[in-house]
């Protein structure tokens, strides 16, 4: 079973930055499309970004220009660089590929 372990969440002030990491177990990471999702308290989980196995990216409109998804196949890791954070970004952030179940996520809180 492929395991996903997210990290990097923290409490940050509006306008701040944070980089999330997701380490993926196994030997097939380079062929996976990797996604980031988030779930705010009381809301449905929403998709926010994808990076395909060949490096193409797409983003939820509300994070375009602020968030950047990237991957390092040598480290089996996908990243989410988050800049210009706003309180509405507060959520538990999850990485996801079809090859794995949901992990524990990492909490991001944007607050003064």
């Amino acid at each position: 079973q492929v395991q996903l372990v997210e990290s990097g969440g923290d409490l940050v002030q509006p306008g701040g930055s944070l980089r999330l990491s997701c380490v993926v177990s196994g030997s097939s990471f380079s062929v996976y499309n990797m996604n980031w999702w988030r779930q705010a308290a009381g809301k449905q989980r929403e998709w926010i970004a994808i990076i395909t196995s060949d490096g193409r990216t797409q983003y939820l409109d509300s994070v375009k220009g602020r968030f950047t998804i990237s991957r390092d196949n040598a480290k089996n890791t996908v990243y989410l660089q988050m800049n210009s954070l706003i309180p509405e970004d507060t959520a538990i952030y999850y990485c996801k590929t079809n090859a794995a179940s949901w992990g524990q996520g990492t909490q991001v809180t944007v607050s003064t």
Side-chain angles (χ1 to χ4, degrees):
Q1 299 90 326
V2 177
Q3 307 292 325
L4 306 172
V5 181
E6 301 95 340
S7 64
D10 205 354
L11 170 65
V12 296
Q13 293 186 324
S17 296
L18 207 56
R19 188 176 77 158
L20 308 183
S21 298
C22 171
V23 177
V24 183
S25 69
S27 60
S28 298
F29 175 75
S30 63
V31 307
Y32 298 154
N33 295 333
M34 296 300 305
N35 299 264
W36 283 98
W37 295 67
R38 67 186 181 188
Q39 186 168 30
K43 297 183 178 180
Q44 291 187 316
R45 187 146 46 198
E46 68 176 347
W47 171 89
I48 54 175
I50 185 170
I51 183 164
T52 64
S53 60
D54 57 340
R56 293 172 294 157
T57 60
Q58 294 179 33
Y59 300 91
L60 179 69
D61 188 65
S62 63
V63 309
K64 285 179 181 176
R66 300 189 299 119
F67 290 11
T68 303
I69 188 171
S70 62
R71 66 194 298 158
D72 185 341
N73 288 344
K75 296 182 180 292
N76 269 33
T77 302
V78 62
Y79 303 97
L80 186 68
Q81 178 67 48
M82 304 185 295
N83 300 324
S84 302
L85 286 161
I86 59 176
E88 290 75 18
D89 296 321
T90 296
I92 301 174
Y93 283 71
Y94 301 86
C95 62
K96 186 70 170 72
T97 177
N98 285 341
S101 299
W102 297 101
Q104 294 301 118
T106 186
Q107 176 72 50
V108 172
T109 302
V110 185
S111 180
T112 56

